Amino acid sequence: PYSTLRDFAPITQLTSSPNVLVVHPSVPVNTVRVLVGLARERPGELNYSSAGNGTAGHLAAELFKLMALVNVVHVPYKSAPQALTDLVTGQVQLQFSNLMAALPHVKTTKLRALAVTTVERSPAVPALPTMEEAGLPGYRVDQTYGVLAPAGTSAAIIDKLNTEIVNILKTPEFRQRMTAEGAVLVGNSPQQYDGYLRGEIQKWAKVVQHIGIRVD
């Protein structure tokens, strides 16, 4: 019952973390371009799992479908662990997964990672390309954390909080901990964070409206 843009005052975005596009080893692809080609050759035959309708993995895959002009079938689950387990066992073929959850399965070759979804590569897997580098220009999906205050908070307080929080982000201890989690530190200005939020809301509203997504 609130509006992000009306009821909150942005302070700063803390971090940006990627999802990762992973496939079961039975899918004969090693790159995003080859996956797109296969999906176009076999429309409706490939399927992907998510933690449910309207979740981050669902939206990431639907954006992929729109931008790549492919038809892959959504298989929603009740939880992220269930969706990932069935991918590992080959019940489904692909997923836009949380990076840190999928990484152990990638390292044991139970899953094959194709690309991360952020604009920049992840420090956790620096050799893995971004979706844009892998052949899908403009594709970006971030899992972000940020700090906001109630609307109407004075500019002086917003600026003070921004300065202190950004300073914390720059400390070696915080940077090391977040890098270990696969996150990229941001620490932008209130104005930049406001622009980011507006862009994200606009982008995802179009995806939701185009596909007709309903939350379970």
Side-chain angles (χ1 to χ4, degrees):
Y2 62 83
S3 165
T4 301
L5 300 178
R6 182 192 66 217
D7 297 331
F8 295 98
I11 297 172
T12 188
Q13 182 183 339
L14 300 176
T15 63
S16 171
S17 300
N19 283 336
V20 58
L21 173 54
V22 285
V23 298
H24 188 266
S26 63
V27 182
V29 301
N30 290 297
T31 68
V32 173
R33 285 188 178 90
V34 176
L35 174 63
V36 170
L38 181 66
R40 288 176 179 172
E41 291 173 6
R42 298 163 52 184
E45 293 185 27
L46 298 178
N47 54 45
Y48 73 92
S49 61
S50 82
N53 289 326
T55 58
H58 181 204
L59 292 174
E62 292 300 327
L63 182 63
F64 168 70
K65 288 169 59 177
L66 280 173
M67 295 182 66
L69 302 176
V70 296
N71 177 21
V72 292
V73 178
H74 181 213
V75 182
Y77 286 76
K78 293 184 178 180
S79 72
Q82 289 178 327
L84 187 58
T85 296
D86 271 15
L87 176 64
V88 171
T89 58
Q91 302 301 308
V92 292
Q93 279 106 30
L94 59 107
Q95 183 185 112
F96 283 85
S97 176
N98 174 277
L99 174 62
M100 302 314 289
L103 205 51
H105 302 294
V106 173
K107 290 179 177 178
T108 57
T109 68
K110 292 179 181 177
L111 295 177
R112 184 181 303 124
L114 302 185
V116 294
T117 61
T118 38
V119 171
E120 297 180 10
R121 295 191 181 198
S122 169
V125 279
L128 197 62
T130 66
M131 290 288 287
E132 193 162 46
E133 291 172 329
L136 206 59
Y139 185 95
R140 174 181 181 175
V141 176
D142 306 86
Q143 294 195 45
T144 66
Y145 288 91
V147 181
L148 302 97
T153 301
S154 73
I157 292 175
I158 294 292
D159 289 342
K160 177 65 173 176
L161 287 169
N162 177 270
T163 298
E164 295 297 331
I165 292 168
V166 170
N167 284 338
I168 291 171
L169 294 180
K170 293 177 181 177
T171 61
E173 296 84 359
F174 193 86
R175 183 175 296 277
Q176 183 178 8
R177 182 170 181 176
M178 291 298 99
T179 299
E181 296 293 330
V184 174
L185 299 178
V186 180
N188 51 10
S189 70
Q191 295 76 22
Q192 289 170 326
Y193 190 29
D194 179 74
Y196 171 81
L197 290 173
R198 291 178 185 277
E200 287 292 284
I201 289 170
Q202 184 179 43
K203 177 176 75 177
W204 292 115
K206 288 180 180 179
V207 174
V208 169
Q209 292 166 4
H210 183 84
I211 302 300
I213 294 173
R214 297 275 188 270
V215 177
D216 288 336

